[in-house]
Amino acid sequence: MAKKRKWWSGLLVLSLVGVLFTGCSTNNTAGSSTSAPAATTAPAESTAPDATEAPAADAPVDGGTLVTSSFSDIVNINPLLVNDTASGDVAQFVFAKLYNLDREGNVQAEDWSLAAALPEISEDGLTYTVKLKDTAKWSDGQPVVADDVVYTVEMAKNKETGSPLISAFDKVKTVEKVDDHTVKFTMSQIYAPFLYALVQEIVPAHVLKDVKPTEMQKNAFGTDPAKTVTSGPWKWTAWKQGESHTLDADPAYWGTVKPHIAQIIYKVYADQNTEVQAIMKGDTDHISAIPVTQVEAVKADGKIDIIQKPGAQYEYVNFNFDGKNFPDGYGLFQGQKTRQAIAHALNRQGMVDNILKGVGALMNAPFLPDTWADPGDAAVNYDYNAETAKKLLAEDGWVADAKDGILVKDGHRFSFELQYNAGNSRREQVAAVIQQNLKDVGIEVKPKAIDFAAWIDQNVTPGKYQALLLAWSLNTPDPDAESIFSSKYFPPAGQNSGWYKNEKLDKLWVDGYSTVDQAKRKEIYKEVGKEISTDLPYVFLYQYGQAIGTGPRVHWAEEDAPEPSLGYGQFFHAIKWWVTE
Amino acid sequence: MTEYLIRRVLQSVLVIFLITILTFLLIHAAPGGPTQVMLAPGLTPEIFAQQAKNLGLDQPIPVQYFHWIGDLLQGDLGYTFKNHIAISDLLWPRIGNTIILMGAAWLVSLLIAIPWGIYNSTKVYGLSDQTASFISYLGFAMPTFWFGILLQQWLSLKLDWFPLSDMHTRGKEDSIADLFMHLVLPVTVLALGFLASYMKYARASMLEVLDQDYIRTARAKGVKERKVVFRHALRNALIPIITILGLDLPILVGGAALTENVFNWPGMGRWFVEMATAREYSALMAVTIVTAVMVVIGNLLADILYVVVDPRVKLGKQGGKAA
């Protein structure tokens, strides 16, 4: 009997351990840049990365295999459902987009775009007419036609599909087929960022037309290579879950520019460290994120070319303005001077130099540096100055407590919890710097790392925290960020999780997207930059980047080099790359 | 014996059933669900809600449970939530891969540990015994992932003797020799861990038996030492070792997540962590079931082997003849 009890309890313990494992686990998504796409930013006026000495300028050769990799597998490459980095990586090799971005982030009809020319926009800014190339074909031989575009947009707009594209297309009133190769979009309002929404892969209506929106996620299109009809230079021929994807050049590809590389293997590694070892061994030719801590070691190896440049993402500290999150309902961040003092107290340049090893740029507004919407000097730059910080805090009524030096106002100690996701080493380090910097001016910070899924579920989405350390990863080059900062988007339905309300900004965001005249928009975003950097719902920390590593087999001409400042820019112009053995 | 086994199997089924309920409830109590993990945080809760509805995750937990258990009884392990792929398509190949890795490591360690442990029990504190002790400490103390990375750095990256990671070289999926080369490093790491404990068990168990009266009697009667060890002592010493081996059986399918991660081995351990991270309830339940079944089988096998090794053991019968 005693023995029986032992194995019964053994089973129970096993299952409990399994469950605990679930509770404690962290998340790949979290480990990386973590964050929402959806926000928008300006086109990056960058030049080809100068760190790339790579690829020989010899004549391209056809054939060969490029092995690229990631540390997470795809979820679904159906363009209607793509919402994670790995799925986006694979999708952009096998699906053609209506339009593509050039290195500066401008929308273009390229040789490999489905559209034949830039869209015609009506004078009132309300209709966009898109002409498709009549040569474009799906991998099953069917032509790519207006019906496919209409179907894609209608499915994306339909709430029942649960598509992450909904926010890009919900201002489209109607989408109509004019003829087989012409589509007309009529907007319900002028919405300038819509041009970037057209930088989008589409799905084949002839394959999916009978699928109900609610069944889209369960459909094999996007998860079964045999059932995924594609339109890009490569076809998706095999997927070994958790191991690799095989993409073969489509012999019937319609584009005038054909891919040089015959086969792409997209390998899945367990984590970034394993991936870095693999590129050093030559098991993979291209990785898109070498951890900052390992960049020097990889450089020392001498075989790998590294492209290091800030990307389309920025980190921030988000204050919560909802008093309910603080003891006695006393919001610590209500005073504008208090927030400005915190900005002065943080050594942002120190974070860039020491934690990001120089691969980052300070930011004062939610627009990436050197882009057309960057407000430049119009935004307030908070230099690192503890004395100024102390002075501002004193002006706002904070007085140092005689016992421990922590500031007190109306009987409330200036002590708050700074939440971030566990497992992100960059944030762990930054949180420690913030804690030290603010301690120097009399503010107590209690950094708290939480498992990603639990954090999003219980704190971020419902707006329940005191302060966050988080980042936005921007997936379109448009500067509109209404959905993050406007009081229209309070939790739980919106992304303004800090409950920030500023009526002037609320209006400016609408003004910003209600004209398609870029010069006017630039002026508006300058005003946004000034207002937001003065009022400071966030302390904008820095734009940061991940180092792209490429092995000696991969080659490109300089104008086709990877462009880290663009979403999926690590594969910029991959159609023109070539490999040697 | 047959009656005993039947009773044992029925009890096991009941236990597994209770475990599924417990696991299901506990997993659902953990924060975050498949949709949260699948979607970036910036997307609105409406999209979460719609995705969850499309996947049936908005149903009450008992309803979800009965759907799942109903499918299971028909041999259907369900589908992943994030991309609707059949769990069985994902599970079985990984179990196979893990059995190859863990089985090899287990076998290597057994083949070394048992004879070595037995030998050391006859020469306590000799050079061999002390060497074994040192290796045991090393095996217990050294973190497997660290040892793994060390081997990769030296034997793969620097000397280029073995592949760095994965199960096969691309294009050589059918080659046994290639698989063997890929096994060397992870098996070395895992075997060292197993070796340490099995050697200790074998030595301790043998020492205990050798200390018993009937062995002394045999020796006193002038039976040769070799005969004492192999004929008289070994059988009895094997019983506790068999217990340990039986209880360890589930590790053959459970995998070793860290080692699988370091060597990018597409096995169960790594997959389980992935699925746990993604809150893939069906996948976690499938792993729980498989592991639970393995625990039961391990116990049954251990019991059966007792009888084989030592016929005096009459399981489940009260009042068996005392020996």
Side-chain angles (χ1 to χ4, degrees):
Chain A
M1 196 57 206
K3 195 156 55 182
K4 256 185 245 171
R5 211 176 308 131
K6 206 158 67 185
W7 67 263
W8 278 45
S9 58
L11 282 174
L12 280 166
V13 166
L14 252 171
S15 69
L16 281 170
V17 167
V19 168
L20 285 176
F21 213 169
T22 320
C24 302
S25 61
T26 55
N27 177 304
N28 263 357
T29 332
S32 61
S33 63
T34 335
S35 21
T40 54
T41 187
E45 287 170 20
S46 49
T47 50
D50 43 35
T52 23
E53 286 164 21
D58 304 326
V61 287
D62 287 343
T65 299
L66 168 76
V67 183
T68 181
S69 57
S70 159
F71 56 94
S72 54
D73 204 351
I74 67 150
V75 174
N76 193 325
I77 67 163
N78 178 341
L80 285 168
L81 301 172
V82 167
N83 197 33
D84 61 284
T85 314
S87 305
D89 279 351
V90 175
Q92 55 94 38
F93 288 119
V94 299
F95 287 104
K97 293 179 164 84
L98 271 182
Y99 292 97
N100 289 80
L101 294 175
D102 64 15
R103 189 176 296 282
E104 284 73 40
N106 301 308
V107 175
Q108 300 287 357
E110 303 275 13
D111 288 320
W112 45 89
S113 306
L114 292 169
L118 284 173
E120 287 170 24
I121 306 174
S122 64
E123 275 189 28
D124 62 5
L126 284 172
T127 61
Y128 291 67
T129 307
V130 173
K131 280 257 178 218
L132 298 175
K133 289 189 178 109
D134 54 11
T135 47
K137 282 192 168 50
W138 293 104
S139 54
D140 63 359
Q142 295 290 313
V144 177
V145 288
D147 287 333
D148 298 320
V149 180
V150 172
Y151 175 84
T152 304
V153 174
E154 282 180 344
M155 288 302 273
K157 275 178 66 183
N158 190 331
K159 286 192 176 130
E160 290 193 335
T161 313
S163 168
L165 296 179
I166 192 164
S167 58
F169 291 105
D170 61 359
K171 293 182 181 73
V172 174
K173 191 161 76 180
T174 57
V175 49
E176 302 155 273
K177 164 182 168 178
V178 176
D179 59 45
D180 268 356
H181 295 100
T182 314
V183 184
K184 187 173 142 194
F185 296 86
T186 307
M187 310 299 292
S188 53
Q189 65 185 82
I190 299 176
Y191 185 60
F194 184 65
L195 191 56
Y196 292 105
L198 296 175
V199 180
Q200 173 62 45
E201 297 95 350
I202 63 166
V203 295
H206 69 278
V207 175
L208 293 169
K209 61 181 186 303
D210 297 325
V211 180
K212 283 190 209 150
T214 50
E215 296 291 314
M216 190 59 81
Q217 275 173 285
K218 295 180 188 166
N219 193 276
F221 183 89
T223 54
D224 181 350
K227 291 180 178 150
T228 307
V229 172
T230 57
S231 55
W234 290 276
K235 290 198 293 188
W236 189 28
T237 40
W239 176 21
K240 277 193 192 167
Q241 275 102 7
E243 290 180 62
S244 67
H245 296 262
T246 307
L247 316 173
D248 287 311
D250 183 349
Y253 175 60
W254 50 271
T256 45
V257 173
K258 310 278 185 198
H260 294 300
I261 296 170
Q263 187 181 58
I264 294 173
I265 303 285
Y266 186 86
K267 282 192 71 166
V268 182
Y269 285 97
D271 56 39
Q272 275 180 310
N273 297 328
T274 320
E275 213 187 340
V276 169
Q277 291 216 316
I279 197 168
M280 291 170 81
K281 174 82 176 168
D283 286 356
T284 177
D285 298 314
H286 182 269
I287 68 176
S288 46
I290 303 174
V292 169
T293 48
Q294 294 185 37
V295 168
E296 289 309 316
V298 178
K299 269 186 188 161
D301 189 59
K303 285 179 293 200
I304 312 300
D305 287 298
I306 294 177
I307 301 174
Q308 259 183 307
K309 191 178 159 184
Q313 54 243 337
Y314 71 86
E315 205 133 50
Y316 56 84
V317 174
N318 181 5
F319 301 120
N320 201 317
F321 291 87
D322 183 0
K324 285 207 276 300
N325 293 298
F326 298 86
D328 306 325
Y330 187 87
L332 294 171
F333 305 117
Q334 299 302 340
Q336 195 187 71
K337 282 187 178 169
T338 298
R339 301 193 295 276
Q340 291 173 340
I342 291 174
H344 273 300
L346 298 183
N347 184 359
R348 299 182 297 157
Q349 191 60 49
M351 296 174 195
V352 170
D353 294 342
N354 300 312
I355 298 170
L356 305 183
K357 309 284 182 205
V359 188
L362 292 190
M363 284 179 58
N364 299 311
F367 311 114
L368 297 186
D370 302 327
T371 59
W372 67 261
D374 177 6
D377 294 341
V380 185
N381 180 39
Y382 295 89
D383 59 327
Y384 172 46
N385 191 329
E387 291 314 309
T388 314
K390 284 180 188 165
K391 189 167 143 272
L392 283 165
L393 287 163
E395 286 173 18
D396 215 16
W398 292 97
V399 181
D401 182 81
K403 269 187 284 175
D404 58 4
I406 299 297
L407 297 172
V408 179
K409 183 177 167 184
D410 303 335
H412 299 279
R413 268 166 66 83
F414 206 152
S415 169
F416 68 91
E417 183 179 275
L418 178 69
Q419 297 182 354
Y420 61 97
N421 55 303
N424 183 320
S425 60
R426 183 184 64 248
R427 271 178 211 148
E428 279 161 14
Q429 295 179 58
V430 170
V433 172
I434 292 174
Q435 183 182 32
Q436 186 58 50
N437 283 165
L438 293 188
K439 191 180 167 203
D440 294 345
V441 297
I443 298 171
E444 183 182 54
V445 179
K446 291 177 265 181
K448 186 173 184 187
I450 312 176
D451 165 57
F452 182 73
W455 186 43
I456 297 304
D457 194 30
Q458 297 181 345
N459 302 102
V460 180
T461 305
K464 290 181 183 165
Y465 54 85
Q466 295 179 339
L468 292 182
L469 174 60
L470 188 56
W472 289 107
S473 182
L474 309 171
N475 65 352
T476 118
D478 196 274
D480 174 43
E482 186 194 32
S483 64
I484 302 172
F485 295 106
S486 169
S487 59
K488 267 193 243 170
Y489 294 95
F490 281 154
Q495 297 170 36
N496 181 359
S497 64
W499 308 87
Y500 172 64
K501 185 171 170 67
N502 177 328
E503 282 169 10
K504 185 177 173 190
L505 276 173
D506 283 358
K507 182 174 176 304
L508 282 171
W509 290 118
V510 179
D511 293 347
Y513 62 68
S514 299
T515 172
V516 287
D517 180 338
Q518 188 163 314
K520 277 190 199 156
R521 295 189 77 197
K522 191 174 165 57
E523 282 309 304
I524 294 165
Y525 291 119
K526 197 182 250 186
E527 191 58 31
V528 169
K530 194 171 147 190
E531 179 63 26
I532 205 164
S533 62
T534 307
D535 204 34
L536 283 182
Y538 287 8
V539 175
F540 298 96
L541 296 175
Y542 44 75
Q543 176 194 19
Y544 62 96
Q546 281 162 323
I548 299 173
T550 309
R553 298 176 58 247
V554 191
H555 307 270
W556 51 65
E558 200 185 327
E559 65 270 23
D560 302 318
E563 178 49 63
S565 68
L566 297 176
Y568 299 109
Q570 71 272 31
F571 299 119
F572 187 72
H573 286 194
I575 194 168
K576 294 187 177 175
W577 297 2
W578 69 96
V579 289
T580 47
E581 291 311 322
Chain B
M1 182 78 180
T2 318
E3 189 195 326
Y4 168 77
L5 283 180
I6 290 171
R7 212 169 51 219
R8 198 69 178 278
V9 168
L10 288 176
Q11 283 168 345
S12 310
V13 169
L14 180 69
V15 171
I16 290 170
F17 175 68
L18 291 174
I19 285 173
T20 62
I21 295 180
L22 188 69
T23 318
F24 206 77
L25 289 175
L26 288 173
I27 289 173
H28 279 76
T35 50
Q36 254 90 355
V37 175
M38 176 164 60
L39 294 173
L43 291 170
T44 63
E46 278 92 346
I47 297 175
F48 286 147
Q50 184 63 48
Q51 298 252 19
K53 195 174 164 193
N54 294 353
L55 296 168
L57 289 166
D58 58 336
Q59 307 269 333
I61 289 171
V63 175
Q64 289 188 46
Y65 175 77
F66 283 112
H67 269 299
W68 175 80
I69 202 93
D71 289 345
L72 184 73
L73 291 173
Q74 294 168 49
D76 178 358
L77 289 171
Y79 290 82
T80 56
F81 289 109
K82 60 178 187 176
N83 45 22
H84 206 70
I85 289 173
I87 302 287
S88 49
D89 288 353
L90 299 170
L91 182 73
W92 303 122
R94 280 169 179 76
I95 289 188
N97 294 345
T98 288
I99 289 177
I100 291 173
L101 175 65
M102 300 298 273
W106 200 57
L107 210 63
V108 166
S109 58
L110 274 186
L111 290 177
I112 300 172
I114 307 279
W116 199 0
I118 289 168
Y119 174 77
N120 289 344
S121 69
T122 61
K123 304 252 169 20
V124 181
Y125 301 124
L127 180 64
S128 161
D129 195 27
Q130 298 211 8
T131 312
S133 275
F134 175 74
I135 290 175
S136 293
Y137 287 128
L138 212 63
F140 282 127
M142 201 154 45
T144 52
F145 70 92
W146 180 78
F147 185 40
I149 291 171
L150 207 69
L151 291 184
Q152 284 180 323
Q153 284 295 329
W154 286 100
L155 302 182
S156 178
L157 286 171
K158 288 240 172 6
L159 298 169
D160 205 17
W161 288 353
F162 299 103
L164 181 77
S165 56
D166 302 323
M167 218 175 138
H168 302 281
T169 307
R170 204 158 33 82
K172 290 187 185 168
E173 278 79 2
D174 298 328
S175 160
I176 299 285
D178 184 61
L179 174 65
F180 177 80
M181 290 303 280
H182 281 84
L183 273 168
V184 175
L185 297 187
V187 162
T188 307
V189 171
L190 289 166
L192 186 70
F194 294 148
L195 184 71
S197 62
Y198 292 152
M199 203 153 55
K200 286 267 174 210
Y201 281 123
R203 178 181 178 275
S205 171
M206 198 65 185
L207 273 178
E208 199 179 314
V209 174
L210 287 175
D211 200 32
Q212 289 189 7
D213 288 345
Y214 73 95
I215 298 289
R216 264 198 294 276
T217 313
R219 280 181 177 147
K221 281 194 321 207
V223 179
K224 278 187 183 159
E225 187 61 19
R226 174 184 293 267
K227 206 171 169 189
V228 170
V229 171
F230 289 99
R231 176 85 44 95
H232 296 267
L234 186 58
R235 273 202 156 183
N236 286 329
L238 280 178
I239 293 179
I241 299 172
I242 285 168
T243 314
I244 298 298
L245 295 183
L247 292 174
D248 270 359
L249 203 61
I251 58 168
L252 289 187
V253 296
L258 281 174
T259 309
E260 289 184 356
N261 261 16
V262 169
F263 291 96
N264 212 40
W265 193 268
M268 275 291 288
R270 187 181 146 194
W271 188 66
F272 183 66
V273 175
E274 256 173 58
M275 292 295 105
T277 307
R279 269 62 172 175
E280 282 287 1
Y281 307 143
S282 309
L284 295 178
M285 299 298 294
V287 175
T288 311
I289 294 285
V290 170
T291 315
V293 170
M294 287 303 292
V295 171
V296 169
I297 292 175
N299 274 279
L300 286 178
L301 279 181
D303 286 347
I304 293 167
L305 282 174
Y306 289 155
V307 184
V308 175
V309 174
D310 184 353
R312 290 174 306 167
V313 181
K314 295 279 183 245
L315 286 163
K317 286 206 172 163
Q318 296 286 320
K321 204 192 285 174

